[in-house]
Amino acid sequence: MYVHTPTPSQTPKTAPTIKRSAFFVSDGTAITAETLGRSLLSQFGDVDFDIKIIPYVDTPELAHDAVARIEQAYQLSGLKPLVFDTIVSDEIRTIINGATACNLDIYEGLISRIADEIGHEPNPHAGMAHGDVDSEDYKSRIDAVHFALDNDDGARTTHYDGADIILIGLSRSGKTPTSIYLALQFGIRAANYPLTEEDLDSSNLPKSLQPYRHKLFGLTIDTERLVRIRQERKAGSRYASLAQCQEEQRAIQAIYTAQKIPNLNVSEMSVEEIATRILQITGLKRRIG
Amino acid sequence: MYVHTPTPSQTPKTAPTIKRSAFFVSDGTAITAETLGRSLLSQFGDVDFDIKIIPYVDTPELAHDAVARIEQAYQLSGLKPLVFDTIVSDEIRTIINGATACNLDIYEGLISRIADEIGHEPNPHAGMAHGDVDSEDYKSRIDAVHFALDNDDGARTTHYDGADIILIGLSRSGKTPTSIYLALQFGIRAANYPLTEEDLDSSNLPKSLQPYRHKLFGLTIDTERLVRIRQERKAGSRYASLAQCQEEQRAIQAIYTAQKIPNLNVSEMSVEEIATRILQITGLKRRIG
């Protein structure tokens, strides 16, 4: 076993903590196993895990390789790894379950319960979780991603007829990642337009947005947070000053109120949460799924 | 019950099939429940489900509302709905489990098995699956999304020092959605550059890419598929013609070979699959997770 001998300047103040490993193993991308596994581990917020992802375990040989990695993690830490797997093949799953580990076999049981309920045998096949790339749904998704990019940050305002929603807000309030996520996850065609100083001079909307008031949705963000994000981008600038941010906040709130534009404070939200809340608030339908 | 009386032109050729409902219910975004639920349902590929997503069920009142929707689906179809839930609160989960349905309670059992194994009680809290928006990981993700957009489609080539990877390929081979997904899911800073006719004249790389050969990764796509995608975009154009696509394919393969650029045929792959395979082939490390 490799033993690290620290030089004096590297001496850690406390002994390094031994972390338990958590493996996400799949015969496909492992995205399903990872999504569920992280969600479960987040319920043990104060425990730190050493996460390893092993996708495309679709042959017995690769399964044995994965088992070897799990065994090694066990040997090194003395702690049984948690293994979250979403493997369809019985043969491969059996090999994985042979590792010295706490096996959290996600599909086991669930698939047979569904089969019993619906009276239909499964046709097991790996890697179908992300849909058929020849389907209309998949094309909608890709088209929506291109739409979001082409209509990002007010790049052009001539295609808003084709938009499902137009996100507005101050610079750095999270419009771009939200537009992208709406496209990629839900197939929604989202444009976004930053309301800049010029736009905020009156309580009117910019001309290019006026015909689309019914498609507008505002993102808001706490002033303190906005200042911090802008400082990270342009430290010391007027753009990132508290006074400027406060003034922009006041002005944009006035527009939201005057124009009755639905809006959401996204300060504490991930893009997943923002996108899901927007669907809930607006009633906008996904184009996929 | 509302009965639809079709006019002659609308008469369906076969009686409408009654579909079983599948509900994805959560006290957060429901993305985890949906990801796992769709993955499980994809194992019953020939069965068509009526999917309904109910996020943010975080009060007993909302839980009763959800139960009412599940009961209604049961009444209308006569088929017990499948209910996939990832609810943390025992109180709320118990209400949901009271519905006349096949309850596939995803967390049940798994959390207690993890707790037993690690000797640590969970601290149940909803909606933490997507991480802390104040974490460095989250900032990396958002920065990577902005990087992908700023460096999309060869928009500028002066920031490639900061790129983790530069995707190259023919126009419409899937570079843009893949770059975006790498950013959003893995925090990887991915630029992309389309090799156009001019670039394909010799087996040399364009000047702006030459210093970054070690960061390049090529996407390839079957010619037939490329023609179809381009036809959908610019029907009847030279750009979308078989001869033109064949010529570009020949030229780009020559570059990949001459320059020893790793590449992947993405014809049958979703963006999730392309991104995961790229990590596997290149050994590129995620910046998050």
Side-chain angles (χ1 to χ4, degrees), chain A residues 39 103 107 113 141 271-272, chain B residues 39 103 107 113 141 272:
Chain A
S39 172
N103 276 292
Y107 281 176
R113 281 192 57 205
R141 245 181 114 186
V271 286
E272 287 85 351
Chain B
S39 172
N103 276 292
Y107 281 177
R113 281 191 58 204
R141 248 182 111 185
E272 287 84 351

Side-chain angles (χ1 to χ4, degrees), chain B residues 53-126:
Chain B
I53 302 155
I54 315 185
Y56 301 117
V57 179
D58 51 11
T59 65
E61 291 68 35
L62 290 169
H64 288 296
D65 291 349
V67 169
R69 288 183 60 186
I70 297 166
E71 293 291 351
Q72 191 188 27
Y74 175 48
Q75 295 300 329
L76 287 174
S77 66
L79 299 168
K80 270 194 195 171
L82 305 178
V83 177
F84 301 85
D85 83 77
T86 54
I87 288 174
V88 170
S89 148
D90 285 337
E91 182 189 5
I92 291 171
R93 199 166 50 198
T94 305
I95 298 171
I96 297 294
N97 287 347
T100 316
C102 175
N103 276 292
L104 301 151
D105 189 334
I106 296 168
Y107 281 177
E108 191 182 38
L110 288 175
I111 288 184
S112 59
R113 281 191 58 204
I114 296 171
D116 288 350
E117 178 64 40
I118 71 176
H120 219 280
E121 284 305 300
N123 9 31
H125 50 304

Side-chain angles (χ1 to χ4, degrees), chain B residues 126-200:
Chain B
M128 285 305 292
H130 311 298
D132 173 5
V133 296
D134 288 315
S135 66
E136 286 306 313
D137 268 10
Y138 191 77
K139 282 179 204 155
S140 295
R141 248 182 111 185
I142 299 303
D143 286 348
V145 170
H146 284 288
F147 184 89
L149 264 79
D150 292 343
N151 294 279
D152 180 50
D153 207 29
R156 58 182 195 193
T157 57
T158 51
H159 288 66
Y160 288 172
D161 279 337
D164 295 322
I165 189 169
I166 304 165
L167 301 181
I168 60 176
L170 300 180
S171 169
R172 301 310 268 198
S173 55
K175 299 177 301 301
T176 293
T178 304
S179 306
I180 295 293
Y181 190 83
L182 284 167
L184 203 52
Q185 189 76 5
F186 303 134
I188 287 174
R189 297 159 73 94
N192 75 80
Y193 185 101
L195 292 177
T196 58
E197 243 181 311
E198 294 159 34
D199 299 318
L200 295 167

